[in-house]
Amino acid sequence: MGRPAGPSGTGPGVSRERHTLVLRTAIVAALVVAAYQYSLSTLLGDLGQQTPLAYLGLVPLLSVLLMAGLLYLPGRSHVDIHDRYLDYMVGLPLLGVALLIDTLGPARLSTFFWLWRLDLVSFPLFVAGAIALVFGTRMLWRLRLPVAFLLLAWPPIYTVFLNGLLNGVTNVTLGALHALMHVLPVATPLTWGDGSLFQINHGTSSFVLSVASACSGIDSVLGFLLVGAAAMALVRGPRHLKLLWLAAGIALIWSLDVVRLLLIFVTGRAWGQGFAIDVLHPFVGLLFFCLGVLAMILLVPRFRLELLGLGGRPGEAPPAAPREDPRVRRPAVRRARAPIAILIAAAAVAAVADTQMGVFELLAQNLGPPRVQPLTLANARISGWALTFVTTYPSAKLEFGSDSSWDRYLYLPPSPDLSPVTLDVISTPDLSTFGTYTVEDCYHFHDYPVLGLATVTLGGGLIGHTVVYQVNPHESWTAVYWEWPVTAGSGQTYQRVVLNELTVSSAAASERELTGFARRVIAATAHQVGGATST
């Protein structure tokens, strides 16, 4: 005779299934983190920094909390799917698409892959595929919200409207600070400039602090919107009360940011610039943000809302009968050795591709914006070579737009045995014009036969192209060119960079030499903008 079964949700069989589920969950979580460890580190690396998207690092953590809430809260509806063919039909394509994005994307899109942070698009696809394979499509359906929530870590979602929001929040914050200085004169607003400068007197000396856009509270507001979006999935109550709670949280978080700025002013006045900026400033923003989030979570019942299904609202009758506890349901996938083996292989491929994305750090920041600025190349000096400006071509405006420019520079060699290298820099805010007017089209327009084309890696995640073309029967040239985004003020523009050199030996030798020179230009650029010098 077998051992008698205990109450629902108890007994050795249920306990063994729970242990198996916990172990399987730990394995999948470890594989996902290993597969995307660099991408996740770039998100967490900016957490709490004074950047507009600083709190995007909260998205994976909030997604995990959402998963835990949806898994362990009773009373949730489920789709009773037990079809392993469907699991593989859903899981394998999701993993495959994620791997294609991570492995082929950087080679095809160059630095634009990191500018658009497509690795953070593949991440939720990989997570979804892993869940479908190892836990079944039923589990993926239950966790569809937290998996989709991972897409909120994708920076381009915010850059569409961020500039306008930045200006609005900055103006409101500066207006509040100027008004408060009449009540608490701990700093003196300077009349010149854009109103963001404040003079602070410390003893017999003084210093000036700037309240930049990133310091105005926009990062904390966006961070709370992420927390609030996750909380809305685990809070029960009328929609208008949820929106009221969210609005109150935004107001509180913004108010705490104003208090944070006042505290920096006060400490700067009392203990000087070093203490205010170097000691207090790095952590006080994150501290106030956490306190604000904690306060709003504790205030959830005050808005007549119910958090995590714990307790009922006043006057609400208890449910007539308890629903089935999802923690003790029959698992959709009883044996997961084969899918875990598939997931291990996929994670290994993804981990290799993800680790290699560290090269983008040379020329771009963690969340995608480029380090390069429009005039960076004009100062990219190569040891022994003299860089001089030659001319500007007005014709660029006809092909690349009225806001475009075309500047030509010349690298003069340290030895007469070497040929000069021409550097052309075409800048335009309209990236599509580069596709309309390609480098090869330019040579064809001048009736220069193209003798050879090749793709080369230049370092910093850049994919360049080489072109060998013939000017006349006795003269041929070699060109290496690439296109990249650059930061221009509060916006973004794009550059096409073309290096040209007279082919003095074989075409293959000239391509190798000019490609090597291009890598030196990239290394000099990376060093100038704060990246590493090795490529």
Side-chain angles (χ1 to χ4, degrees):
M1 294 179 62
R3 298 181 62 180
S8 176
T10 63
V14 173
S15 178
R16 186 164 51 250
E17 286 184 355
R18 286 179 176 173
H19 292 160
T20 301
L21 181 62
V22 170
L23 178 60
R24 196 183 300 178
T25 302
I27 292 174
V28 172
L31 290 174
V32 169
V33 171
Y36 285 87
Q37 56 88 20
Y38 182 77
S39 296
L40 293 174
S41 69
T42 60
L43 285 177
L44 296 175
D46 277 2
L47 191 60
Q49 299 295 319
Q50 293 300 318
T51 61
L53 302 180
Y55 289 100
L56 290 189
L58 291 175
V59 171
L61 304 177
L62 293 172
S63 179
V64 171
L65 292 177
L66 272 176
M67 290 182 183
L70 295 178
L71 281 175
Y72 289 98
L73 283 181
R76 297 284 178 173
S77 59
H78 311 286
V79 178
D80 196 16
I81 301 175
H82 293 269
D83 188 340
R84 289 302 286 157
Y85 289 105
L86 179 62
D87 297 341
Y88 282 101
M89 290 172 61
V90 173
L92 289 178
L94 287 171
L95 285 180
V97 172
L99 293 180
L100 285 176
I101 292 174
D102 288 344
T103 56
L104 299 183
R108 300 298 297 270
L109 298 175
S110 188
T111 54
F112 291 95
F113 179 91
W114 195 253
L115 173 68
W116 299 323
R117 285 307 303 265
L118 295 182
D119 57 313
L120 296 178
V121 175
S122 72
F123 179 53
L125 297 178
F126 189 93
V127 172
I131 293 174
L133 282 180
V134 179
F135 299 100
T137 309
R138 186 181 79 186
M139 182 68 73
L140 177 59
W141 180 253
R142 286 172 59 186
L143 300 179
R144 63 190 182 279
L145 180 61
V147 171
F149 189 83
L150 290 172
L151 280 173
L152 293 180
W154 191 35
I157 294 177
Y158 308 92
T159 55
V160 173
F161 61 88
L162 191 57
N163 286 338
L165 188 60
L166 268 175
N167 293 333
V169 174
T170 301
N171 291 336
V172 172
T173 301
L174 291 176
L177 286 175
H178 280 257
L180 287 171
M181 291 306 100
H182 295 291
V183 181
L184 299 172
V186 293
T188 303
L190 298 181
T191 56
W192 51 273
D194 57 0
S196 64
L197 301 178
F198 295 82
Q199 179 176 305
I200 299 174
N201 298 320
H202 170 61
T204 58
S205 62
S206 64
F207 59 94
V208 176
L209 292 182
S210 173
V211 181
S213 296
C215 300
S216 64
I218 183 63
D219 53 344
S220 298
V221 170
L222 287 178
F224 182 76
L225 284 174
L226 291 173
V227 175
M232 291 300 97
L234 300 175
V235 169
R236 295 177 180 175
R239 182 175 300 176
H240 71 279
L241 293 180
K242 292 182 180 182
L243 293 177
L244 181 62
W245 176 85
L246 194 63
I250 292 174
L252 175 62
I253 291 294
W254 175 81
S255 300
L256 288 176
D257 261 301
V258 174
V259 173
R260 171 183 63 87
L261 292 171
L262 286 176
L263 182 61
I264 292 175
F265 289 173
V266 171
T267 55
R269 185 183 181 91
W271 294 294
Q273 181 178 4
F275 182 85
I277 300 302
D278 299 331
V279 178
L280 185 64
H281 182 266
F283 74 90
V284 69
L286 181 60
L287 174 62
F288 276 28
F289 175 79
C290 293
L291 291 176
V293 170
L294 178 60
M296 290 309 302
I297 291 176
L298 294 176
L299 288 173
V300 164
R302 297 289 185 179
F303 288 82
R304 294 190 297 164
L305 298 171
E306 177 189 350
L307 180 62
L308 298 175
L310 301 178
R313 293 183 295 276
E316 182 181 14
R323 296 185 179 182
E324 181 185 11
D325 189 341
R327 292 170 291 183
V328 300
R329 297 195 62 176
R330 181 168 63 90
V333 180
R334 291 187 175 275
R335 296 179 178 85
R337 291 183 180 179
I340 286 179
I342 295 174
L343 185 59
I344 289 174
V349 175
V352 172
D354 191 69
T355 302
Q356 292 176 349
M357 291 178 193
V359 298
F360 290 114
E361 189 179 355
L362 296 176
L363 301 171
Q365 301 175 40
N366 277 349
L367 296 179
R371 301 178 189 269
V372 181
Q373 297 183 1
L375 296 178
T376 299
L377 278 173
N379 299 299
R381 306 289 174 173
I382 306 298
S383 178
W385 293 70
L387 179 61
T388 180
F389 174 76
V390 176
T391 187
T392 295
Y393 293 101
S395 60
K397 299 184 182 300
L398 299 177
E399 299 174 345
F400 303 103
S402 58
D403 294 329
S404 64
S405 63
W406 182 349
D407 297 324
R408 172 164 288 184
Y409 302 84
L410 187 65
Y411 279 104
L412 299 175
S415 167
D417 298 331
L418 301 174
S419 299
V421 176
T422 301
L423 169 66
D424 287 314
V425 182
I426 302 172
S427 301
T428 176
D430 187 359
L431 179 61
S432 64
T433 58
F434 288 158
T436 304
Y437 302 98
T438 66
V439 173
E440 291 84 349
D441 290 338
C442 176
Y443 298 146
H444 288 312
F445 176 79
H446 291 286
D447 292 326
Y448 297 156
V450 174
L451 306 179
L453 296 170
T455 300
V456 292
T457 58
L458 300 177
L462 272 174
I463 303 298
H465 306 275
T466 64
V467 184
V468 179
Y469 60 100
Q470 192 173 37
V471 176
N472 57 57
H474 308 288
E475 183 180 336
S476 63
W477 286 71
T478 302
V480 174
Y481 74 93
W482 65 89
E483 294 159 359
W484 60 9
V486 299
T487 297
S490 59
Q492 194 165 262
T493 188
Y494 308 93
Q495 287 183 343
R496 172 181 287 165
V497 184
V498 186
L499 295 173
N500 268 288
E501 183 182 42
L502 179 65
T503 303
V504 295
S505 56
S506 68
S510 295
E511 285 185 77
R512 287 195 301 270
E513 292 169 1
L514 191 57
T515 299
F517 188 86
R519 292 193 178 107
R520 294 175 66 186
V521 172
I522 300 302
T525 303
H527 178 73
Q528 185 181 345
V529 299
T533 56
S534 87
T535 58

